[in-house]
Amino acid sequence: MKMTTIQNATIEQAPEIAALIMIAMTDECCLHFCGEGHDLQDFRKMMTQLVQSEHSQYSYRNTLVAMDADKVIGAAVSYDGALLYELRQAFIDKARECLDKDHSAMPDETQQGELYLDSLAVLPDYRHHGIATRLLKATRQKANAMGLPHVGLLVDNDNPTAETLYTSIGFRHVDDNQWGGHAMKHLIL
């Protein structure tokens, strides 16, 4: 593996970023968000459109990517928690349009005062090389630059490996949450 760089994403990287977001979400969660008669391919198409959007929680504008030469190998999607409702509306609208499903009653996953790390994923062949840690540290720098005191995230109770990664760099458990049909822990750094 060549020298990995962390940089701001571009709109052209939307398909790769959407695929990484879906890895972070897991197939089970993605299917939870699909409407009757829709599958992971439909969800990926919708997510790619949301990443291409300028004003979505999943926008390329909210994304840092890890690059191995010209290949996207990891992504960290984060946004100001105070903008949750404003940014989430794009997901709600696209899910109605593309998946025939209403997600307007989703519980809050973040709040004001934190840069919310919505999705973090690294391609399987590139794991265990410190890339996720570098993306997390870059996300912390992004929070500092935005004047936000914390980085917050949700980790699935059934994902102790991810929780260990987060706590190893200083995240701590503050409360519990539900998201995508799963029990989650809210951690902050």
Side-chain angles (χ1 to χ4, degrees):
M1 180 169 55
K2 298 176 185 173
M3 179 63 176
T4 303
T5 59
I6 308 295
Q7 60 193 51
N8 291 320
T10 65
I11 195 169
E12 294 80 17
Q13 296 164 330
E16 293 89 349
I17 295 166
L20 285 160
I21 291 169
M22 289 177 67
I23 289 171
M25 287 179 148
T26 75
D27 288 351
E28 183 181 352
C29 280
C30 294
L31 288 170
H32 169 82
F33 287 114
C34 286
E36 182 86 21
H38 295 280
D39 60 17
L40 292 174
Q41 186 175 350
D42 298 327
F43 193 79
R44 181 183 310 262
K45 181 180 176 186
M46 180 190 80
M47 291 305 296
T48 300
Q49 292 173 13
L50 288 169
V51 174
Q52 291 169 333
S53 170
E54 298 260 328
H55 202 70
S56 147
Q57 67 199 91
Y58 300 107
S59 175
Y60 72 94
R61 300 180 85 190
N62 297 329
T63 306
L64 297 170
V65 290
M67 302 293 296
D68 182 9
D70 61 351
K71 181 177 182 177
V72 177
I73 60 170
V77 180
S78 61
Y79 57 88
D80 183 339
L83 301 176
L84 172 65
Y85 299 118
E86 183 180 330
L87 294 175
R88 182 189 278 169
Q89 192 60 50
F91 178 85
I92 292 167
D93 294 344
K94 276 287 177 198
R96 280 185 184 130
E97 174 190 329
C98 299
L99 305 174
D100 305 313
K101 189 131 184 209
D102 181 4
H103 291 295
S104 59
M106 279 192 295
D108 293 354
E109 57 203 84
T110 184
Q111 66 272 325
Q112 187 170 354
E114 72 179 14
L115 179 67
Y116 180 65
L117 180 59
D118 187 288
S119 305
L120 173 71
V122 175
L123 293 176
D125 290 346
Y126 291 87
R127 293 180 185 158
H128 309 292
H129 294 286
I131 296 166
T133 299
R134 289 186 57 209
L135 283 164
L136 286 166
K137 289 178 179 177
T139 300
R140 179 64 194 161
Q141 291 172 344
K142 180 179 171 181
N144 290 342
M146 293 172 70
L148 294 170
H150 300 289
V151 175
L153 58 85
L154 296 181
V155 63
D156 195 312
N157 285 356
D158 294 331
N159 193 349
T161 303
E163 186 174 353
T164 298
L165 167 66
Y166 300 136
T167 57
S168 75
I169 66 163
F171 279 89
R172 61 184 170 81
H173 178 238
V174 290
D175 58 21
D176 297 311
N177 204 322
Q178 282 285 125
W179 186 85
H182 289 256
M184 304 285 225
K185 292 180 182 175
H186 179 206
L187 308 180
I188 62 166
L189 174 67

